Amino acid sequence: MTYIIVKDRKTVIGAPFASYTAALQKANSLFGDDVEAWMDLNLRVEENRPVM
């Protein structure tokens, strides 16, 4: 299973990551760790699942 960083509705940032922790660390390095900023950007880390 891989994880991706998603911004807004469907904007994927970077390549898939092997672990949730790796994706979260990369997101923190790119966007900081301010919860309000993440909410404003609708930023999240989620499983990389195929779109059906």
Side-chain angles (χ1 to χ4, degrees), residues 7-29:
K7 179 181 169 200
D8 297 324
R9 289 187 157 216
K10 295 181 180 181
T11 305
V12 176
I13 309 295
F17 295 86
S19 70
Y20 181 85
T21 302
L24 185 60
Q25 288 174 343
K26 182 63 174 181
N28 281 337
S29 72

Side-chain angles (χ1 to χ4, degrees), residues 19-44:
S19 70
Y20 181 85
T21 302
L24 185 60
Q25 288 174 343
K26 182 63 174 181
N28 281 337
S29 72
L30 293 173
F31 299 99
D33 61 358
D34 180 31
V35 175
E36 288 183 25
W38 279 46
M39 290 174 66
D40 289 342
L41 295 171
N42 194 15
L43 188 70
R44 61 206 176 277

